[in-house]
Amino acid sequence: GRLQDRDHRARLTRAGAACDTSPVVQPDASRADDLRDTERIRLRALVAGDVETARDMHADDFQLINPAGGSISKAAYLSMIASGDLQYLVWDPENIAVRLFGTDAAAIRYRSVIDGKRDGESFHGRYWHTDTYERRADRWQAVWSHATEIIDP
């Protein structure tokens, strides 16, 4: 009766304690690769003018600091893409460096070549990019982006 029930409960408790129910965390190299892939997908969406995909990849509080020093919100940035006021024709990133901060935050940095049009005027340049990402709702989202034009001496 009671003794057997108590022994059974004790065995279940020990078995439950032996089970690791903590979430699976990817190794750093794998998470860094996921971030690189996420950034490349984000850039392809922006070049394609795929605002729906880009909307999911940018946090609601996303902010871009453009090469001219202007601050642009997610809504304004994606509106410029959707309207065609800002078109990326080429956005070619070089090696993307990743710094992980725990499991839910990261910074990336890379150089790129960008060809595009802003208000109908063509532009071409080389840029440094620094972006911060946060893991929200089980996916990486860009939170802050900063671009600086590389000017040859």
Side-chain angles (χ1 to χ4, degrees):
R2 289 181 96 166
L3 185 55
Q4 285 178 325
D5 288 345
R6 191 175 65 206
D7 288 344
H8 181 69
R9 279 195 306 271
R11 279 194 304 276
L12 287 176
T13 301
R14 283 192 303 276
C19 293
D20 183 3
T21 58
S22 61
V24 176
V25 176
Q26 292 177 294
D28 286 352
S30 178
R31 287 188 301 127
D33 286 342
D34 283 350
L35 273 159
R36 288 182 189 96
D37 291 343
T38 297
E39 180 66 0
R40 288 183 186 104
I41 291 166
R42 184 180 80 90
L43 299 182
R44 282 194 296 270
L46 292 170
V47 169
D50 181 355
V51 175
E52 187 172 323
T53 298
R55 186 173 290 114
D56 290 341
M57 301 191 78
H58 293 82
D60 288 341
D61 55 342
F62 172 81
Q63 183 180 38
L64 166 67
I65 305 301
N66 66 22
S71 174
I72 303 169
S73 70
K74 172 184 176 175
Y77 185 51
L78 296 182
S79 176
M80 290 172 15
I81 300 286
S83 70
D85 289 343
L86 175 60
Q87 293 178 298
Y88 296 111
L89 305 173
V90 172
W91 191 331
D92 187 20
E94 293 180 9
N95 297 330
I96 299 174
V98 176
R99 288 276 177 111
L100 298 167
F101 303 100
T103 58
D104 295 328
I108 64 171
R109 186 192 67 201
Y110 61 92
R111 287 186 304 193
S112 73
V113 172
I114 298 177
D115 292 326
K117 291 185 178 185
R118 175 76 169 109
D119 297 325
E121 296 290 320
S122 294
F123 67 90
H124 168 84
R126 294 180 322 128
Y127 302 87
W128 274 107
H129 300 269
T130 304
D131 299 324
T132 59
Y133 273 85
E134 291 180 7
R135 196 150 178 79
R136 297 180 179 182
D138 205 31
R139 69 177 186 261
W140 288 109
Q141 289 187 308
V143 178
W144 289 343
S145 287
H146 183 257
T148 302
E149 187 171 12
I150 300 168
I151 299 174
D152 293 323

